[in-house]
């Protein structure tokens, strides 16, 4: 029987990330030269989760952004360098990295920095900024609601969205619609097997780099 492979990289379905994708594809900023992506997890995982091997931050948190930036750029990662740190001595002593940075060099020349953190205690912090030869395009954070208070103490806004179910609620809905179309109407799922494999290779290379301290070159043939 034919079985569909439907990998849920939800940024491809999110309205803001889709808008950024279309801006890049329409040449609104020219040639993409650099990109800066920030993934700040919230709520901060429990100490027990981290100490009991709750997933390496690179393996656990980078895949969605790696897939997205590959898709936007229409390019493959040529090399990656990664380094991580522990936010306190207890985590350091047990070898738990809860903050990390990846620097990816793409084949066409774009340099992408992806910063990952378990400790965004102010809300779910998800940002992407792409700088090009003609301009800059970005995805900003989404607040819990659209209210704003201005008084003699300044301007006050709500916190960022609580976590991924709130931030990507619309994306998950669009993803479910696409999933139904694939199953019922035979429409092609946008994420291919080769995309999944490519993302995993980048994550594995970043883990290797983080351990060894070297730039890791990928086979992109």
């Amino acid at each position: 029987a034919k079985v569909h492979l439907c990998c849920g990289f939800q940024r491809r379905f999110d309205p803001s990330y889709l808008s950024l994708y279309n801006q890049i594809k329409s040449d609104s900023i020219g040639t993409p030269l650099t990109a800066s992506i920030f993934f700040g997890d919230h709520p901060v995982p429990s100490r027990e989760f981290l100490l009991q091997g709750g997933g390496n931050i690179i393996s656990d948190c980078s895949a969605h952004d790696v897939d997205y930036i590959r898709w936007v750029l229409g390019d493959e990662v040529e090399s990656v360098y990664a380094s991580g740190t522990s936010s306190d001595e207890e985590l350091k002593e047990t070898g738990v990295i809860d903050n990390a940075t990846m620097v990816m060099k793409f084949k066409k020349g774009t340099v992408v920095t992806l910063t990952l953190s378990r400790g965004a205690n102010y809300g779910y912090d998800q940002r992407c900024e792409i700088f090009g030869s003609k301009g800059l395009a970005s995805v900003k954070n989404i607040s819990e609601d659209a209210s704003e208070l201005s008084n003699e103490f300044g301007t006050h806004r709500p916190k960022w969205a609580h976590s991924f179910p709130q931030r990507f609620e619309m994306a998950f809905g669009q993803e479910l619609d696409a999933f139904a179309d694939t199953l019922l109407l035979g429409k092609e799922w946008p994420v291919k097997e080769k995309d999944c494999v490519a993302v995993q290779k980048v994550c594995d290379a970043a883990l290797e780099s983080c351990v060894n301290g070297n730039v890791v070159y990928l086979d992109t043939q």
Side-chain angles (χ1 to χ4, degrees):
K2 183 178 179 181
V3 178
H4 297 283
L5 174 64
C6 299
C7 181
F9 285 133
Q10 86 273 27
R11 281 160 176 69
R12 297 194 186 207
F13 300 88
D14 180 79
S16 297
Y17 282 87
L18 273 171
S19 178
L20 177 56
Y21 171 86
N22 291 327
Q23 289 164 0
I24 303 304
K25 293 305 179 183
S26 64
D27 198 40
S28 296
I29 67 164
T31 302
L33 302 174
T34 64
S36 178
I37 304 170
F38 190 87
F39 182 108
D41 202 8
H42 184 269
V44 179
S46 69
R47 181 53 54 110
E48 291 73 24
F49 174 84
L50 295 175
L51 293 177
Q52 293 174 9
N56 181 285
I57 190 170
I58 292 175
S59 299
D60 198 26
C61 298
S62 68
H64 289 282
D65 286 305
V66 172
D67 171 73
Y68 178 74
I69 199 65
R70 286 182 58 257
W71 181 55
V72 169
L73 297 177
D75 197 8
E76 298 294 343
V77 176
E78 182 177 71
S79 66
V80 59
Y81 173 78
S83 185
T85 188
S86 305
S87 59
D88 62 46
E89 285 301 317
E90 185 180 21
L91 294 178
K92 183 177 181 180
E93 289 173 2
T94 53
V96 175
I97 293 173
D98 59 344
N99 292 269
T101 298
M102 297 166 52
V103 180
M104 296 169 280
K105 179 71 175 290
F106 280 76
K107 293 177 68 176
K108 296 177 184 177
T110 311
V111 177
V112 177
T113 301
L114 169 56
T115 300
L116 309 162
S117 179
R118 294 282 196 187
N121 54 16
Y122 49 87
Y124 195 59
D125 190 352
Q126 306 291 305
R127 289 172 277 135
C128 179
E129 182 176 272
I130 303 175
F131 175 79
S133 58
K134 297 194 300 184
L136 181 145
S138 62
V139 171
K140 303 296 186 182
N141 277 315
I142 294 177
S143 299
E144 289 180 329
D145 60 61
S147 66
E148 181 175 290
L149 168 66
S150 296
N151 56 25
E152 68 269 27
F153 300 109
T155 300
H156 313 274
R157 300 183 181 91
K159 294 192 301 183
W160 303 134
H162 180 71
S163 195
F164 63 90
Q166 293 79 27
R167 170 59 185 85
F168 291 108
E169 181 179 6
M170 292 183 66
F172 291 140
Q174 294 292 336
E175 201 167 29
L176 283 173
D177 287 344
F179 183 63
D181 288 344
T182 296
L183 295 183
L184 301 177
L185 304 178
K187 290 189 177 181
E188 189 174 18
W189 187 256
V191 185
K192 306 294 187 292
E193 178 183 2
K194 66 179 181 63
D195 297 315
C196 303
V197 172
V199 169
Q200 187 62 54
K201 286 183 176 180
V202 174
C203 294
D204 289 345
L207 283 170
E208 180 183 342
S209 175
C210 195
V211 171
N212 298 329
N214 300 319
V215 176
V216 176
Y217 292 87
L218 287 85
D219 180 8
T220 56
Q221 299 298 321

